[in-house]
Amino acid sequence: MNGQGQRLTANMAFVEGFGQDMGSKGMLLLVAILSVLILRNHEVEGGRNLTREEDLELEKQLKLLNKPAIMSIEVAWVRTSGEAYYGTRLFLNTWNDLYLSEKQFSLIGTWVQNQQDSIVAGWIVHLGLFGDHKTRLFTYWNKGGFQNTGCFNTFCPGFIQSSEKIPLGMVLPVSKYAESMAEIQIDVSKDLSMNTWGLWWGTDELVGYWPQYFFDNLDKNASTIAWGGQAQGPPNEPKPRMGSGRSATSGYRSGCYVRQIKLMDGFYNYYDPNPKQLVVGADKCYVVYRPGNKGGDWSYNFYVGGPDC
């Protein structure tokens, strides 16, 4: 994404958000917990184990977040750590065959994190947030330990919408089972000249950005990036669907894929994830299927979804 600085400068017009604080710590808690969970190892494929100090810090954060547990949180993801990352770009297969209850929601996306600062972006189906079960573009941010900050989209001050063509909350085209596939390409990356993190639609449309020096640890770079899904709802309800709502093992035109995953370095160069630094994890009944680099248009990719039990 060469020339990011010039494009961002041209799009620095402030678009005021709704100015509405969510007021629901429970809702914010749910996505925030996943930002901690992506740092944990479930199944390790060539990844490193957390140090004792890192594990104790995660335990501390989880205790702060989980008081009491108000939702069943299911995750399936691939994550990388071990370098300084400045962004990620990927294609997300979009679906709407989830049939969620009023209190459930489900998302597919990417998590960009450094310690207690995180950005989440992708697509989501969330009745409580939008008032319907449509598949929509979203982002979520958090900083400072998941306690008093963070929200979806522009529901509180933070993310600045700059695109008139691609608004957050936009209804997205979706795939049709066994027929046509729909997908979106998003990019969450840092403009090194402006010192801002931005959300891009494709490669050339800046959806918006987080202001200069908005984050504490992400102000430098990301230390962990993950890709995958999260589905959650009340523990007394059937497990919420993720991805296409079908098994990830059902493959193309049935399962939900994430493809052409790239990382960005400090010189705006995009490159494939290093397999030795990847960790694959999934909760019971949810699956990350056939993660790997197939080259070409698929590059590093996998299928994700569930429940499959």
Side-chain angles (χ1 to χ4, degrees), residues 123-188:
W123 64 260
I124 192 170
V125 177
H126 196 326
L127 176 66
L129 194 62
F130 297 106
D132 59 39
H133 280 120
K134 296 179 180 179
T135 301
R136 296 176 180 270
L137 178 69
F138 90 101
T139 189
Y140 175 89
W141 62 266
N142 202 295
K143 64 176 183 176
F146 320 120
Q147 296 183 62
N148 300 311
T149 63
C151 70
F152 289 91
N153 294 0
T154 54
F155 291 166
C156 65
F159 184 84
I160 299 173
Q161 175 86 39
S162 61
S163 173
E164 296 181 357
K165 292 168 52 179
I166 310 295
L168 287 176
M170 178 178 69
V171 177
L172 301 172
V174 295
S175 302
K176 295 182 180 179
Y177 171 67
E179 296 182 18
S180 60
M181 294 293 98
E183 60 183 22
I184 61 173
Q185 185 185 34
I186 62 169
D187 181 306
V188 178

Side-chain angles (χ1 to χ4, degrees), residues 10-78:
N11 287 281
M12 288 291 283
F14 177 82
V15 178
E16 183 176 359
F18 291 107
Q20 173 189 354
D21 192 324
M22 289 291 289
S24 174
K25 293 183 179 179
M27 184 179 294
L28 301 181
L29 165 68
L30 300 175
V31 177
I33 288 177
L34 183 58
S35 295
V36 173
L37 291 177
I38 62 174
L39 294 173
R40 287 193 169 276
N41 293 337
H42 290 270
E43 301 173 22
V44 178
E45 295 188 355
R48 67 177 181 87
N49 292 323
L50 297 178
T51 66
R52 177 61 177 166
E53 291 74 15
E54 289 173 321
D55 199 53
L56 288 173
E57 176 61 23
L58 292 178
E59 290 291 349
K60 176 183 176 182
Q61 293 300 327
L62 285 171
K63 288 178 181 178
L64 288 171
L65 291 169
N66 194 26
K67 51 177 187 180
I70 57 175
M71 287 286 180
S72 173
I73 303 169
E74 316 291 349
V75 299
W77 43 254
V78 178

Side-chain angles (χ1 to χ4, degrees), residues 200-257:
W200 296 81
W201 176 265
T203 60
D204 58 5
E205 180 70 21
L206 179 65
V207 178
Y209 60 96
W210 290 265
Q212 191 176 32
Y213 305 118
F214 180 74
F215 293 104
D216 297 321
N217 298 298
L218 273 177
D219 184 57
K220 304 177 184 68
N221 57 263
S223 58
T224 299
I225 294 183
W227 315 273
Q230 177 183 7
Q232 52 202 49
N236 60 342
E237 293 186 358
K239 286 183 176 294
R241 296 187 180 190
M242 178 193 297
S244 70
R246 302 173 188 84
S247 171
T249 63
S250 59
Y252 190 66
R253 299 187 188 278
S254 177
C256 178
Y257 62 79

Side-chain angles (χ1 to χ4, degrees), residues 45-47 78-83 85 227 261 263 271-279 293 300:
E45 295 188 355
V78 178
R79 75 163 173 87
T80 184
S81 59
E83 297 181 14
Y85 306 106
W227 315 273
I261 297 171
L263 295 164
Y271 62 98
D272 293 331
N274 182 347
K276 295 182 179 181
Q277 295 177 332
L278 295 176
V279 175
N293 194 330
Y300 190 86

